[in-house]
Amino acid sequence: VQIEEKDSLEAAFNYLRSYPDQAPPVRMIPYWTSEAGTRFVLVLKSIFSSKTAADMQLRQLPPNIMPDGKIVSLWNEEAVFFADPFLVSKKSK
């Protein structure tokens, strides 16, 4: 679930600094395309097994957290990522 996209690292960090502690955790994925240049997408850390589950989470977020929220199932095939967009955090036991 993408909650925001910024065109500069500073804007992405400013968004993260003001992100509420009680909101679901997010991570930043920087990427580059020839069309858009370098972009910084902010996504929920959770990965959802279905569009329905992702849509439910998206609808539960307050509008001030994700004014441009959307579900991302495929990335631009020409995108060059600077972080793994498919990384799933695993808690150590």
Side-chain angles (χ1 to χ4, degrees):
V1 173
Q2 177 180 319
I3 57 171
E4 190 66 66
E5 186 169 352
K6 301 293 185 183
D7 59 0
S8 74
L9 182 59
E10 181 179 10
F13 274 126
N14 286 338
Y15 181 86
L16 290 172
R17 284 185 192 107
S18 65
Y19 190 76
D21 290 336
Q22 68 278 12
V26 297
R27 63 185 288 248
M28 179 175 42
I29 302 171
Y31 71 95
W32 176 89
T33 65
S34 60
E35 304 162 345
T38 303
R39 306 288 295 172
F40 303 85
V41 66
L42 298 137
V43 299
L44 294 182
K45 283 187 178 181
S46 298
I47 294 178
F48 302 92
S49 60
S50 70
K51 183 181 183 312
T52 303
D55 190 50
M56 188 181 312
Q57 177 64 63
L58 187 61
R59 284 186 274 125
Q60 290 176 353
L61 294 172
N64 63 328
I65 290 178
M66 45 55 79
D68 300 320
K70 64 181 182 179
I71 296 170
V72 177
S73 59
L74 295 174
W75 295 92
N76 181 331
E77 65 183 43
E78 296 178 9
V80 176
F81 292 98
F82 302 107
D84 185 351
F86 304 104
L87 179 69
V88 178
S89 175
K90 294 183 176 128
K91 294 183 180 181
S92 57
K93 295 182 179 182

